[in-house]
Amino acid sequence: MNTTYASIKGLGFYVPETIVTNQDLTQHMDTSDAWIQERTGIKQRRYFTYGKDTNASMATAASRMALDRSQVDTKEVDLIVYATITPDYYFPGSAFLMQRELGLEGVGVIDIRNQCSGFVYALSIADQFIKTGMYKTILVVGSEIQSTFLNKSNEGRGVAVIFGDGAGAAVVQATTDPEHRILSTHLHADGRYAEELYVRDPGSSREGRWLTEETLSGGNYNVTMNGNAVFKHAVVRFAEVIQESLAANAYKPEDLALLVPHQANIRISEYVRQQMNLPEEKVFNNIQKYGNTTAASIPIALTEAYEEGRIKPGDLVCLAAFGSGFTWASALIKW
Ligand code: ACO
């Protein structure tokens, strides 16, 4: 009997049309293009258009592109795994709204919130469901509208300059070809650091109502980040989880054709590249254009890498992420 594996059949992404440059941000806060570029590598990001884009509509657009490019009919999709930390509603999750937009009534959906590692976690879930034979075609999505929960004043400038909006998607399908498949996925988390990067409110475990005048005036609905702690943990965990995926499949860093890291910050990616002793052309970066799009960053980057011809059949490609939670994860793929 043939073993069933999972492979990525096609990719797609959607970014909203409004480009917000570093210079544009100086209208709201005391910052500069030089500060932002030097600290993060970011030149511009996209912000959604109210009334046009929603988290789910962006995910739908990315999914339609991925389905078209895979030449897979929408009706073949038998599960949606959707990663976001910025859903359209508190509940139900945006996976339900995307399922409705795609006309896939009855098809199962899984909403996951694993922050910047969300897409790799979602891919891992898809990989397992396909390998067990339960499903054949799974849409894996990461989508974020973060521009609405950033504090774009001086108080929030250390965080606000980093994040942007966008969506990416992958069609993952069953295959019996051992040469072109997801080789393995590796998932980790450490809740001891939950408050190093988080949005506290609105939360359920509050006195009285979950959303009050007091909550609104407290400002804890903005992102709180200990930038130094994130940086220190990220550089260690990225390298660890990439090595873990390579070792699990008896590969070495030099075997990699391309590393597609979560686009957290150019300095983090550069540090990891040097630790792994990888040449510049083997690490993909597009944070310059989109900022950090959290769960959407890897599928957007992967799609652009593919479009630019940086991934060819048979290439060894590693996806790696680190984010709030803390979470970190990797996927090793034989393309
Ligand atoms: N523009 C200008 N000045 C700023 C800005 C800004 N946007 N933000 C902060 N500053 C000021 C601060 O007020 C501070 O001024 P002070 O010295 O007078 O007090 C000074 O710049 C230095 O502030 P730090 O917070 O120490 O800045 P740092 O050099 O650490 O850079 C950064 C901040 C970029 C967030 C850095 O900590 C970092 O790279 N952290 C990693 C975290 C990260 O990249 N997160 C990405 C999202 S999380 C993820 O995806 C995993």
Side-chain angles (χ1 to χ4, degrees):
M1 205 183 86
N2 283 332
T3 308
T4 301
Y5 305 105
S7 75
I8 295 181
K9 281 279 285 186
L11 297 159
F13 78 107
Y14 172 91
V15 286
E17 62 195 10
T18 304
I19 295 173
V20 178
T21 64
N22 294 342
Q23 190 58 36
D24 293 334
L25 291 179
T26 64
Q27 291 165 18
H28 309 283
M29 61 187 87
D30 192 8
T31 190
S32 67
D33 180 46
W35 193 97
I36 300 170
Q37 282 208 49
E38 190 192 314
R39 300 295 212 291
T40 69
I42 300 165
K43 294 183 178 170
Q44 59 184 50
R45 72 287 292 140
R46 303 291 181 108
Y47 282 1
F48 88 120
T49 305
Y50 176 68
K52 177 182 182 227
D53 300 310
T54 65
N55 186 305
S57 77
M58 298 198 312
T60 305
S63 296
R64 288 212 161 105
M65 184 191 280
L67 286 161
D68 276 358
R69 289 179 172 182
S70 317
Q71 297 183 302
V72 167
D73 192 273
T74 309
K75 298 287 174 210
E76 287 180 52
V77 172
D78 38 27
L79 183 74
I80 292 168
V81 192
Y82 195 119
T84 186
I85 56 165
T86 53
D88 296 294
Y89 302 142
Y90 196 74
F91 74 81
S94 292
F96 293 82
L97 309 181
M98 186 181 92
Q99 185 233 44
R100 185 171 68 191
E101 285 198 42
L102 289 174
L104 286 171
E105 292 80 7
V107 164
V109 302
I110 301 176
D111 266 289
I112 65 162
R113 36 189 302 173
N114 281 72
Q115 300 71 249
C116 301
S117 304
F119 184 80
V120 182
Y121 267 73
L123 190 67
S124 178
I125 292 167
D127 186 38
Q128 312 315 312
F129 272 121
I130 286 176
K131 285 195 293 204
T132 61
M134 184 153 169
Y135 295 118
K136 287 199 163 50
T137 304
I138 302 181
L139 257 180
V140 180
V141 185
S143 183
E144 306 286 2
I145 291 181
Q146 304 181 110
S147 53
T148 44
F149 77 12
L150 298 173
N151 175 358
K152 299 184 202 90
S153 71
N154 274 350
E155 205 191 341
R157 65 182 179 169
V159 172
V161 299
I162 296 174
F163 295 96
D165 303 339
V171 174
V172 182
Q173 248 188 350
T175 176
T176 50
D177 183 353
E179 297 305 320
H180 305 280
R181 64 179 174 103
I182 297 170
L183 296 173
S184 62
T185 57
H186 307 268
L187 311 179
H188 297 281
D190 191 341
R192 286 178 300 170
Y193 303 101
E195 286 81 17
E196 299 290 16
L197 176 52
Y198 81 132
V199 175
R200 185 180 182 276
D201 289 325
S204 59
S205 51
R206 304 284 176 273
E207 193 182 6
R209 299 296 307 278
W210 66 292
L211 190 59
T212 60
E213 289 296 328
E214 219 177 342
T215 321
L216 286 171
S217 59
N220 287 320
Y221 50 83
N222 293 311
V223 180
T224 301
M225 176 173 78
N226 177 348
N228 279 339
V230 172
F231 194 96
K232 280 186 198 149
H233 285 264
V235 291
V236 173
R237 296 308 195 185
F238 262 114
E240 243 177 49
V241 82
I242 296 164
Q243 290 284 10
E244 183 184 355
S245 72
L246 292 168
N249 297 282
Y251 284 114
K252 296 194 172 63
E254 54 267 36
D255 298 320
L256 273 178
L258 194 67
L259 170 66
V260 182
H262 159 56
Q263 304 291 300
N265 179 321
I266 201 84
R267 290 193 309 171
I268 295 177
S269 295
E270 183 54 20
Y271 198 94
V272 172
R273 183 186 74 74
Q274 286 173 11
Q275 271 178 304
M276 307 286 306
N277 214 8
L278 293 170
E280 277 182 23
E281 65 274 14
K282 286 195 174 185
V283 181
F284 190 81
N285 295 304
N286 64 359
I287 194 167
Q288 302 85 345
K289 293 195 283 182
Y290 306 122
N292 180 334
T293 57
T294 303
S297 100
I298 288 183
I300 294 175
L302 192 59
T303 308
E304 286 207 328
Y306 186 78
E307 286 174 352
E308 289 173 21
R310 305 264 302 265
I311 303 174
K312 304 219 164 39
D315 276 355
L316 191 65
V317 178
C318 184
L319 314 181
F322 176 87
S324 155
F326 288 145
T327 55
W328 58 104
S330 62
L332 195 66
I333 302 164
K334 195 86 192 306
W335 208 265

